[in-house]
Amino acid sequence: MRSPRLCSRNGCRVQAVATLTYVYADSTAVVGPLAGAAEPHSYDLCEQHARSLTAPRGWDLVRHEGDFDLPPPTPDDLVALADAVREAGRSDPAPPRPDPPREAAGRGVGRRGHLRVIPPS
């Protein structure tokens, strides 16, 4: 049996519940649910560090607004996250999807407009 993944912050020995990734091209930090597998360019965080994280000056921070203690994401969630990262990395805008996710009122579109927050279902 594998031991649980721990927070990546120095000196923190608490179990990780969130993953921090960076989109350097867009100066954006993303804190979301714990990824299914550890990645070399992402950081696992405990709940305290995931909620208290701040982005560098001039960067945007997109943070998961729900509870971090939910079970790991399903394959559908991982596919949606991968699609969102691919879409954000494109230089030309992607064609509109036939059935776009509904956005929560007053949330989701920042100054760059290419990232959106999808409310938990």
PDB file of all heavy atoms in Angstrom, residues 43-78:
ATOM      1  N   TYR A  43       2.800  20.960  -7.685  1.00  0.00           N
ATOM      2  CA  TYR A  43       3.093  20.874  -6.261  1.00  0.00           C
ATOM      3  C   TYR A  43       1.841  20.443  -5.515  1.00  0.00           C
ATOM      4  O   TYR A  43       0.766  21.025  -5.708  1.00  0.00           O
ATOM      5  CB  TYR A  43       3.572  22.237  -5.741  1.00  0.00           C
ATOM      6  CG  TYR A  43       4.771  22.744  -6.487  1.00  0.00           C
ATOM      7  CD1 TYR A  43       4.626  23.538  -7.620  1.00  0.00           C
ATOM      8  CD2 TYR A  43       6.055  22.386  -6.090  1.00  0.00           C
ATOM      9  CE1 TYR A  43       5.725  23.980  -8.321  1.00  0.00           C
ATOM     10  CE2 TYR A  43       7.157  22.829  -6.787  1.00  0.00           C
ATOM     11  CZ  TYR A  43       6.990  23.625  -7.900  1.00  0.00           C
ATOM     12  OH  TYR A  43       8.082  24.053  -8.595  1.00  0.00           O
ATOM     13  N   ASP A  44       1.976  19.443  -4.665  1.00  0.00           N
ATOM     14  CA  ASP A  44       0.868  19.000  -3.826  1.00  0.00           C
ATOM     15  C   ASP A  44       0.835  19.865  -2.577  1.00  0.00           C
ATOM     16  O   ASP A  44       1.875  20.152  -1.986  1.00  0.00           O
ATOM     17  CB  ASP A  44       1.043  17.528  -3.430  1.00  0.00           C
ATOM     18  CG  ASP A  44       0.982  16.598  -4.632  1.00  0.00           C
ATOM     19  OD1 ASP A  44       0.382  16.984  -5.655  1.00  0.00           O
ATOM     20  OD2 ASP A  44       1.529  15.489  -4.543  1.00  0.00           O
ATOM     21  N   LEU A  45      -0.377  20.277  -2.165  1.00  0.00           N
ATOM     22  CA  LEU A  45      -0.523  21.150  -1.012  1.00  0.00           C
ATOM     23  C   LEU A  45      -1.564  20.608  -0.039  1.00  0.00           C
ATOM     24  O   LEU A  45      -2.554  20.008  -0.456  1.00  0.00           O
ATOM     25  CB  LEU A  45      -0.955  22.557  -1.446  1.00  0.00           C
ATOM     26  CG  LEU A  45      -0.032  23.312  -2.380  1.00  0.00           C
ATOM     27  CD1 LEU A  45      -0.686  24.605  -2.844  1.00  0.00           C
ATOM     28  CD2 LEU A  45       1.290  23.601  -1.696  1.00  0.00           C
ATOM     29  N   CYS A  46      -1.344  20.851   1.244  1.00  0.00           N
ATOM     30  CA  CYS A  46      -2.361  20.536   2.247  1.00  0.00           C
ATOM     31  C   CYS A  46      -3.436  21.624   2.166  1.00  0.00           C
ATOM     32  O   CYS A  46      -3.268  22.636   1.476  1.00  0.00           O
ATOM     33  CB  CYS A  46      -1.744  20.482   3.647  1.00  0.00           C
ATOM     34  SG  CYS A  46      -1.105  22.067   4.221  1.00  0.00           S
ATOM     35  N   GLU A  47      -4.538  21.426   2.880  1.00  0.00           N
ATOM     36  CA  GLU A  47      -5.637  22.388   2.782  1.00  0.00           C
ATOM     37  C   GLU A  47      -5.228  23.779   3.257  1.00  0.00           C
ATOM     38  O   GLU A  47      -5.568  24.788   2.630  1.00  0.00           O
ATOM     39  CB  GLU A  47      -6.853  21.898   3.572  1.00  0.00           C
ATOM     40  CG  GLU A  47      -8.048  22.810   3.390  1.00  0.00           C
ATOM     41  CD  GLU A  47      -9.344  22.200   3.848  1.00  0.00           C
ATOM     42  OE1 GLU A  47      -9.336  21.091   4.419  1.00  0.00           O
ATOM     43  OE2 GLU A  47     -10.369  22.852   3.634  1.00  0.00           O
ATOM     44  N   GLN A  48      -4.489  23.866   4.340  1.00  0.00           N
ATOM     45  CA  GLN A  48      -4.073  25.177   4.858  1.00  0.00           C
ATOM     46  C   GLN A  48      -3.241  25.933   3.825  1.00  0.00           C
ATOM     47  O   GLN A  48      -3.487  27.104   3.560  1.00  0.00           O
ATOM     48  CB  GLN A  48      -3.274  25.018   6.150  1.00  0.00           C
ATOM     49  CG  GLN A  48      -2.752  26.345   6.674  1.00  0.00           C
ATOM     50  CD  GLN A  48      -1.818  26.174   7.858  1.00  0.00           C
ATOM     51  OE1 GLN A  48      -1.593  25.077   8.353  1.00  0.00           O
ATOM     52  NE2 GLN A  48      -1.251  27.284   8.312  1.00  0.00           N
ATOM     53  N   HIS A  49      -2.265  25.278   3.234  1.00  0.00           N
ATOM     54  CA  HIS A  49      -1.415  25.947   2.259  1.00  0.00           C
ATOM     55  C   HIS A  49      -2.164  26.223   0.950  1.00  0.00           C
ATOM     56  O   HIS A  49      -1.895  27.228   0.286  1.00  0.00           O
ATOM     57  CB  HIS A  49      -0.139  25.147   2.011  1.00  0.00           C
ATOM     58  CG  HIS A  49       0.810  25.210   3.156  1.00  0.00           C
ATOM     59  ND1 HIS A  49       1.283  24.084   3.787  1.00  0.00           N
ATOM     60  CD2 HIS A  49       1.346  26.266   3.813  1.00  0.00           C
ATOM     61  CE1 HIS A  49       2.094  24.453   4.777  1.00  0.00           C
ATOM     62  NE2 HIS A  49       2.149  25.783   4.807  1.00  0.00           N
ATOM     63  N   ALA A  50      -3.092  25.353   0.561  1.00  0.00           N
ATOM     64  CA  ALA A  50      -3.876  25.581  -0.660  1.00  0.00           C
ATOM     65  C   ALA A  50      -4.768  26.808  -0.514  1.00  0.00           C
ATOM     66  O   ALA A  50      -4.939  27.575  -1.456  1.00  0.00           O
ATOM     67  CB  ALA A  50      -4.722  24.349  -0.973  1.00  0.00           C
ATOM     68  N   ARG A  51      -5.323  27.015   0.665  1.00  0.00           N
ATOM     69  CA  ARG A  51      -6.232  28.148   0.882  1.00  0.00           C
ATOM     70  C   ARG A  51      -5.484  29.457   1.139  1.00  0.00           C
ATOM     71  O   ARG A  51      -6.011  30.523   0.868  1.00  0.00           O
ATOM     72  CB  ARG A  51      -7.176  27.845   2.024  1.00  0.00           C
ATOM     73  CG  ARG A  51      -8.095  26.683   1.706  1.00  0.00           C
ATOM     74  CD  ARG A  51      -9.411  26.779   2.418  1.00  0.00           C
ATOM     75  NE  ARG A  51     -10.228  25.608   2.166  1.00  0.00           N
ATOM     76  CZ  ARG A  51     -10.987  25.450   1.089  1.00  0.00           C
ATOM     77  NH1 ARG A  51     -11.024  26.381   0.181  1.00  0.00           N
ATOM     78  NH2 ARG A  51     -11.708  24.357   0.934  1.00  0.00           N
ATOM     79  N   SER A  52      -4.260  29.392   1.669  1.00  0.00           N
ATOM     80  CA  SER A  52      -3.538  30.621   2.014  1.00  0.00           C
ATOM     81  C   SER A  52      -2.547  31.061   0.935  1.00  0.00           C
ATOM     82  O   SER A  52      -1.932  32.112   1.068  1.00  0.00           O
ATOM     83  CB  SER A  52      -2.792  30.435   3.341  1.00  0.00           C
ATOM     84  OG  SER A  52      -1.787  29.443   3.212  1.00  0.00           O
ATOM     85  N   LEU A  53      -2.406  30.292  -0.122  1.00  0.00           N
ATOM     86  CA  LEU A  53      -1.452  30.608  -1.182  1.00  0.00           C
ATOM     87  C   LEU A  53      -1.798  31.932  -1.862  1.00  0.00           C
ATOM     88  O   LEU A  53      -2.973  32.222  -2.106  1.00  0.00           O
ATOM     89  CB  LEU A  53      -1.456  29.489  -2.231  1.00  0.00           C
ATOM     90  CG  LEU A  53      -0.465  29.683  -3.363  1.00  0.00           C
ATOM     91  CD1 LEU A  53       0.877  29.118  -2.960  1.00  0.00           C
ATOM     92  CD2 LEU A  53      -0.964  29.024  -4.606  1.00  0.00           C
ATOM     93  N   THR A  54      -0.796  32.730  -2.143  1.00  0.00           N
ATOM     94  CA  THR A  54      -0.980  33.953  -2.923  1.00  0.00           C
ATOM     95  C   THR A  54      -0.101  33.863  -4.158  1.00  0.00           C
ATOM     96  O   THR A  54       0.929  33.189  -4.160  1.00  0.00           O
ATOM     97  CB  THR A  54      -0.596  35.209  -2.107  1.00  0.00           C
ATOM     98  OG1 THR A  54       0.769  35.090  -1.701  1.00  0.00           O
ATOM     99  CG2 THR A  54      -1.492  35.362  -0.890  1.00  0.00           C
ATOM    100  N   ALA A  55      -0.512  34.565  -5.208  1.00  0.00           N
ATOM    101  CA  ALA A  55       0.246  34.568  -6.460  1.00  0.00           C
ATOM    102  C   ALA A  55       1.228  35.731  -6.464  1.00  0.00           C
ATOM    103  O   ALA A  55       1.000  36.742  -5.798  1.00  0.00           O
ATOM    104  CB  ALA A  55      -0.710  34.680  -7.640  1.00  0.00           C
ATOM    105  N   PRO A  56       2.316  35.605  -7.213  1.00  0.00           N
ATOM    106  CA  PRO A  56       3.263  36.726  -7.323  1.00  0.00           C
ATOM    107  C   PRO A  56       2.582  37.959  -7.922  1.00  0.00           C
ATOM    108  O   PRO A  56       1.588  37.842  -8.640  1.00  0.00           O
ATOM    109  CB  PRO A  56       4.333  36.193  -8.280  1.00  0.00           C
ATOM    110  CG  PRO A  56       4.191  34.712  -8.263  1.00  0.00           C
ATOM    111  CD  PRO A  56       2.755  34.431  -7.961  1.00  0.00           C
ATOM    112  N   ARG A  57       3.125  39.123  -7.646  1.00  0.00           N
ATOM    113  CA  ARG A  57       2.573  40.376  -8.173  1.00  0.00           C
ATOM    114  C   ARG A  57       2.509  40.295  -9.697  1.00  0.00           C
ATOM    115  O   ARG A  57       3.453  39.868 -10.352  1.00  0.00           O
ATOM    116  CB  ARG A  57       3.448  41.546  -7.757  1.00  0.00           C
ATOM    117  CG  ARG A  57       2.885  42.878  -8.236  1.00  0.00           C
ATOM    118  CD  ARG A  57       3.670  44.020  -7.699  1.00  0.00           C
ATOM    119  NE  ARG A  57       3.421  44.073  -6.254  1.00  0.00           N
ATOM    120  CZ  ARG A  57       4.233  44.636  -5.384  1.00  0.00           C
ATOM    121  NH1 ARG A  57       5.345  45.191  -5.790  1.00  0.00           N
ATOM    122  NH2 ARG A  57       3.942  44.648  -4.107  1.00  0.00           N
ATOM    123  N   GLY A  58       1.351  40.659 -10.247  1.00  0.00           N
ATOM    124  CA  GLY A  58       1.157  40.626 -11.691  1.00  0.00           C
ATOM    125  C   GLY A  58       0.618  39.302 -12.210  1.00  0.00           C
ATOM    126  O   GLY A  58       0.313  39.182 -13.384  1.00  0.00           O
ATOM    127  N   TRP A  59       0.488  38.320 -11.351  1.00  0.00           N
ATOM    128  CA  TRP A  59      -0.038  37.009 -11.740  1.00  0.00           C
ATOM    129  C   TRP A  59      -1.488  36.890 -11.298  1.00  0.00           C
ATOM    130  O   TRP A  59      -1.918  37.539 -10.339  1.00  0.00           O
ATOM    131  CB  TRP A  59       0.766  35.895 -11.077  1.00  0.00           C
ATOM    132  CG  TRP A  59       2.069  35.616 -11.739  1.00  0.00           C
ATOM    133  CD1 TRP A  59       3.073  36.497 -11.976  1.00  0.00           C
ATOM    134  CD2 TRP A  59       2.512  34.357 -12.243  1.00  0.00           C
ATOM    135  NE1 TRP A  59       4.122  35.874 -12.586  1.00  0.00           N
ATOM    136  CE2 TRP A  59       3.806  34.557 -12.766  1.00  0.00           C
ATOM    137  CE3 TRP A  59       1.947  33.103 -12.296  1.00  0.00           C
ATOM    138  CZ2 TRP A  59       4.527  33.530 -13.345  1.00  0.00           C
ATOM    139  CZ3 TRP A  59       2.682  32.073 -12.866  1.00  0.00           C
ATOM    140  CH2 TRP A  59       3.951  32.294 -13.395  1.00  0.00           C
ATOM    141  N   ASP A  60      -2.236  36.036 -11.988  1.00  0.00           N
ATOM    142  CA  ASP A  60      -3.603  35.703 -11.585  1.00  0.00           C
ATOM    143  C   ASP A  60      -3.572  34.396 -10.822  1.00  0.00           C
ATOM    144  O   ASP A  60      -2.711  33.541 -11.061  1.00  0.00           O
ATOM    145  CB  ASP A  60      -4.512  35.535 -12.806  1.00  0.00           C
ATOM    146  CG  ASP A  60      -4.803  36.855 -13.496  1.00  0.00           C
ATOM    147  OD1 ASP A  60      -4.866  37.882 -12.797  1.00  0.00           O
ATOM    148  OD2 ASP A  60      -4.968  36.844 -14.719  1.00  0.00           O
ATOM    149  N   LEU A  61      -4.513  34.233  -9.904  1.00  0.00           N
ATOM    150  CA  LEU A  61      -4.637  32.993  -9.147  1.00  0.00           C
ATOM    151  C   LEU A  61      -6.041  32.452  -9.346  1.00  0.00           C
ATOM    152  O   LEU A  61      -7.025  33.153  -9.092  1.00  0.00           O
ATOM    153  CB  LEU A  61      -4.376  33.239  -7.654  1.00  0.00           C
ATOM    154  CG  LEU A  61      -4.562  32.043  -6.737  1.00  0.00           C
ATOM    155  CD1 LEU A  61      -3.548  30.943  -7.068  1.00  0.00           C
ATOM    156  CD2 LEU A  61      -4.418  32.462  -5.283  1.00  0.00           C
ATOM    157  N   VAL A  62      -6.135  31.236  -9.851  1.00  0.00           N
ATOM    158  CA  VAL A  62      -7.418  30.554 -10.001  1.00  0.00           C
ATOM    159  C   VAL A  62      -7.423  29.455  -8.956  1.00  0.00           C
ATOM    160  O   VAL A  62      -6.556  28.592  -8.948  1.00  0.00           O
ATOM    161  CB  VAL A  62      -7.584  29.953 -11.420  1.00  0.00           C
ATOM    162  CG1 VAL A  62      -8.885  29.190 -11.536  1.00  0.00           C
ATOM    163  CG2 VAL A  62      -7.489  31.049 -12.469  1.00  0.00           C
ATOM    164  N   ARG A  63      -8.415  29.529  -8.044  1.00  0.00           N
ATOM    165  CA  ARG A  63      -8.449  28.591  -6.923  1.00  0.00           C
ATOM    166  C   ARG A  63      -9.780  27.846  -6.917  1.00  0.00           C
ATOM    167  O   ARG A  63     -10.833  28.446  -7.112  1.00  0.00           O
ATOM    168  CB  ARG A  63      -8.279  29.346  -5.606  1.00  0.00           C
ATOM    169  CG  ARG A  63      -8.107  28.455  -4.409  1.00  0.00           C
ATOM    170  CD  ARG A  63      -8.136  29.213  -3.083  1.00  0.00           C
ATOM    171  NE  ARG A  63      -7.505  30.501  -3.092  1.00  0.00           N
ATOM    172  CZ  ARG A  63      -6.270  30.741  -2.658  1.00  0.00           C
ATOM    173  NH1 ARG A  63      -5.531  29.769  -2.186  1.00  0.00           N
ATOM    174  NH2 ARG A  63      -5.782  31.956  -2.693  1.00  0.00           N
ATOM    175  N   HIS A  64      -9.722  26.554  -6.683  1.00  0.00           N
ATOM    176  CA  HIS A  64     -10.913  25.731  -6.516  1.00  0.00           C
ATOM    177  C   HIS A  64     -11.685  26.257  -5.313  1.00  0.00           C
ATOM    178  O   HIS A  64     -11.113  26.479  -4.251  1.00  0.00           O
ATOM    179  CB  HIS A  64     -10.487  24.269  -6.302  1.00  0.00           C
ATOM    180  CG  HIS A  64     -11.604  23.345  -5.986  1.00  0.00           C
ATOM    181  ND1 HIS A  64     -12.528  22.962  -6.919  1.00  0.00           N
ATOM    182  CD2 HIS A  64     -11.944  22.736  -4.827  1.00  0.00           C
ATOM    183  CE1 HIS A  64     -13.388  22.134  -6.348  1.00  0.00           C
ATOM    184  NE2 HIS A  64     -13.054  21.991  -5.090  1.00  0.00           N
ATOM    185  N   GLU A  65     -12.984  26.483  -5.475  1.00  0.00           N
ATOM    186  CA  GLU A  65     -13.763  27.085  -4.405  1.00  0.00           C
ATOM    187  C   GLU A  65     -14.472  26.071  -3.510  1.00  0.00           C
ATOM    188  O   GLU A  65     -15.000  26.433  -2.490  1.00  0.00           O
ATOM    189  CB  GLU A  65     -14.784  28.055  -4.993  1.00  0.00           C
ATOM    190  CG  GLU A  65     -14.119  29.261  -5.612  1.00  0.00           C
ATOM    191  CD  GLU A  65     -15.118  30.255  -6.132  1.00  0.00           C
ATOM    192  OE1 GLU A  65     -16.335  30.035  -5.970  1.00  0.00           O
ATOM    193  OE2 GLU A  65     -14.683  31.258  -6.697  1.00  0.00           O
ATOM    194  N   GLY A  66     -14.488  24.815  -3.885  1.00  0.00           N
ATOM    195  CA  GLY A  66     -15.168  23.807  -3.082  1.00  0.00           C
ATOM    196  C   GLY A  66     -14.268  23.238  -2.007  1.00  0.00           C
ATOM    197  O   GLY A  66     -13.173  23.743  -1.736  1.00  0.00           O
ATOM    198  N   ASP A  67     -14.735  22.166  -1.368  1.00  0.00           N
ATOM    199  CA  ASP A  67     -13.941  21.482  -0.350  1.00  0.00           C
ATOM    200  C   ASP A  67     -12.821  20.699  -1.026  1.00  0.00           C
ATOM    201  O   ASP A  67     -12.998  20.123  -2.089  1.00  0.00           O
ATOM    202  CB  ASP A  67     -14.816  20.514   0.453  1.00  0.00           C
ATOM    203  CG  ASP A  67     -15.843  21.252   1.293  1.00  0.00           C
ATOM    204  OD1 ASP A  67     -15.559  22.394   1.694  1.00  0.00           O
ATOM    205  OD2 ASP A  67     -16.921  20.683   1.531  1.00  0.00           O
ATOM    206  N   PHE A  68     -11.678  20.662  -0.375  1.00  0.00           N
ATOM    207  CA  PHE A  68     -10.540  19.917  -0.921  1.00  0.00           C
ATOM    208  C   PHE A  68     -10.508  18.474  -0.445  1.00  0.00           C
ATOM    209  O   PHE A  68      -9.684  17.708  -0.886  1.00  0.00           O
ATOM    210  CB  PHE A  68      -9.227  20.606  -0.538  1.00  0.00           C
ATOM    211  CG  PHE A  68      -8.945  21.827  -1.355  1.00  0.00           C
ATOM    212  CD1 PHE A  68      -8.950  23.076  -0.772  1.00  0.00           C
ATOM    213  CD2 PHE A  68      -8.665  21.731  -2.700  1.00  0.00           C
ATOM    214  CE1 PHE A  68      -8.674  24.206  -1.522  1.00  0.00           C
ATOM    215  CE2 PHE A  68      -8.392  22.853  -3.460  1.00  0.00           C
ATOM    216  CZ  PHE A  68      -8.402  24.091  -2.865  1.00  0.00           C
ATOM    217  N   ASP A  69     -11.370  18.084   0.494  1.00  0.00           N
ATOM    218  CA  ASP A  69     -11.311  16.730   1.028  1.00  0.00           C
ATOM    219  C   ASP A  69     -12.202  15.759   0.269  1.00  0.00           C
ATOM    220  O   ASP A  69     -12.499  14.682   0.756  1.00  0.00           O
ATOM    221  CB  ASP A  69     -11.661  16.734   2.523  1.00  0.00           C
ATOM    222  CG  ASP A  69     -13.023  17.341   2.801  1.00  0.00           C
ATOM    223  OD1 ASP A  69     -13.667  17.834   1.869  1.00  0.00           O
ATOM    224  OD2 ASP A  69     -13.453  17.310   3.964  1.00  0.00           O
ATOM    225  N   LEU A  70     -12.615  16.100  -0.924  1.00  0.00           N
ATOM    226  CA  LEU A  70     -13.422  15.209  -1.744  1.00  0.00           C
ATOM    227  C   LEU A  70     -12.562  14.074  -2.281  1.00  0.00           C
ATOM    228  O   LEU A  70     -11.337  14.184  -2.330  1.00  0.00           O
ATOM    229  CB  LEU A  70     -14.040  15.984  -2.901  1.00  0.00           C
ATOM    230  CG  LEU A  70     -15.014  17.089  -2.500  1.00  0.00           C
ATOM    231  CD1 LEU A  70     -15.439  17.868  -3.727  1.00  0.00           C
ATOM    232  CD2 LEU A  70     -16.209  16.519  -1.785  1.00  0.00           C
ATOM    233  N   PRO A  71     -13.176  12.983  -2.727  1.00  0.00           N
ATOM    234  CA  PRO A  71     -12.376  11.901  -3.324  1.00  0.00           C
ATOM    235  C   PRO A  71     -11.638  12.400  -4.563  1.00  0.00           C
ATOM    236  O   PRO A  71     -11.998  13.435  -5.122  1.00  0.00           O
ATOM    237  CB  PRO A  71     -13.413  10.838  -3.699  1.00  0.00           C
ATOM    238  CG  PRO A  71     -14.741  11.392  -3.402  1.00  0.00           C
ATOM    239  CD  PRO A  71     -14.581  12.694  -2.706  1.00  0.00           C
ATOM    240  N   PRO A  72     -10.612  11.666  -4.986  1.00  0.00           N
ATOM    241  CA  PRO A  72      -9.857  12.095  -6.168  1.00  0.00           C
ATOM    242  C   PRO A  72     -10.781  12.263  -7.368  1.00  0.00           C
ATOM    243  O   PRO A  72     -11.824  11.622  -7.457  1.00  0.00           O
ATOM    244  CB  PRO A  72      -8.872  10.950  -6.417  1.00  0.00           C
ATOM    245  CG  PRO A  72      -8.864  10.144  -5.179  1.00  0.00           C
ATOM    246  CD  PRO A  72     -10.140  10.410  -4.457  1.00  0.00           C
ATOM    247  N   PRO A  73     -10.398  13.133  -8.308  1.00  0.00           N
ATOM    248  CA  PRO A  73     -11.248  13.373  -9.468  1.00  0.00           C
ATOM    249  C   PRO A  73     -11.417  12.119 -10.319  1.00  0.00           C
ATOM    250  O   PRO A  73     -10.546  11.266 -10.364  1.00  0.00           O
ATOM    251  CB  PRO A  73     -10.515  14.458 -10.241  1.00  0.00           C
ATOM    252  CG  PRO A  73      -9.161  14.546  -9.668  1.00  0.00           C
ATOM    253  CD  PRO A  73      -9.164  13.902  -8.331  1.00  0.00           C
ATOM    254  N   THR A  74     -12.558  12.065 -10.980  1.00  0.00           N
ATOM    255  CA  THR A  74     -12.837  10.954 -11.894  1.00  0.00           C
ATOM    256  C   THR A  74     -12.098  11.207 -13.205  1.00  0.00           C
ATOM    257  O   THR A  74     -11.643  12.326 -13.450  1.00  0.00           O
ATOM    258  CB  THR A  74     -14.345  10.841 -12.167  1.00  0.00           C
ATOM    259  OG1 THR A  74     -14.756  12.039 -12.853  1.00  0.00           O
ATOM    260  CG2 THR A  74     -15.135  10.688 -10.875  1.00  0.00           C
ATOM    261  N   PRO A  75     -12.002  10.203 -14.069  1.00  0.00           N
ATOM    262  CA  PRO A  75     -11.352  10.425 -15.376  1.00  0.00           C
ATOM    263  C   PRO A  75     -12.006  11.564 -16.165  1.00  0.00           C
ATOM    264  O   PRO A  75     -11.318  12.293 -16.879  1.00  0.00           O
ATOM    265  CB  PRO A  75     -11.505   9.089 -16.086  1.00  0.00           C
ATOM    266  CG  PRO A  75     -11.588   8.092 -14.984  1.00  0.00           C
ATOM    267  CD  PRO A  75     -12.318   8.798 -13.864  1.00  0.00           C
ATOM    268  N   ASP A  76     -13.334  11.749 -16.024  1.00  0.00           N
ATOM    269  CA  ASP A  76     -14.004  12.847 -16.727  1.00  0.00           C
ATOM    270  C   ASP A  76     -13.479  14.199 -16.249  1.00  0.00           C
ATOM    271  O   ASP A  76     -13.297  15.122 -17.038  1.00  0.00           O
ATOM    272  CB  ASP A  76     -15.513  12.787 -16.514  1.00  0.00           C
ATOM    273  CG  ASP A  76     -16.148  11.577 -17.185  1.00  0.00           C
ATOM    274  OD1 ASP A  76     -15.540  11.045 -18.134  1.00  0.00           O
ATOM    275  OD2 ASP A  76     -17.239  11.177 -16.755  1.00  0.00           O
ATOM    276  N   ASP A  77     -13.248  14.343 -14.942  1.00  0.00           N
ATOM    277  CA  ASP A  77     -12.715  15.597 -14.399  1.00  0.00           C
ATOM    278  C   ASP A  77     -11.314  15.855 -14.936  1.00  0.00           C
ATOM    279  O   ASP A  77     -10.967  16.991 -15.253  1.00  0.00           O
ATOM    280  CB  ASP A  77     -12.669  15.557 -12.867  1.00  0.00           C
ATOM    281  CG  ASP A  77     -14.041  15.511 -12.240  1.00  0.00           C
ATOM    282  OD1 ASP A  77     -15.003  15.973 -12.897  1.00  0.00           O
ATOM    283  OD2 ASP A  77     -14.160  15.017 -11.112  1.00  0.00           O
ATOM    284  N   LEU A  78     -10.501  14.815 -15.012  1.00  0.00           N
ATOM    285  CA  LEU A  78      -9.133  14.981 -15.517  1.00  0.00           C
ATOM    286  C   LEU A  78      -9.130  15.371 -16.986  1.00  0.00           C
ATOM    287  O   LEU A  78      -8.327  16.196 -17.412  1.00  0.00           O
ATOM    288  CB  LEU A  78      -8.334  13.690 -15.303  1.00  0.00           C
ATOM    289  CG  LEU A  78      -8.071  13.318 -13.846  1.00  0.00           C
ATOM    290  CD1 LEU A  78      -7.392  11.962 -13.775  1.00  0.00           C
ATOM    291  CD2 LEU A  78      -7.229  14.372 -13.177  1.00  0.00           C
TER     292      LEU A  78
END
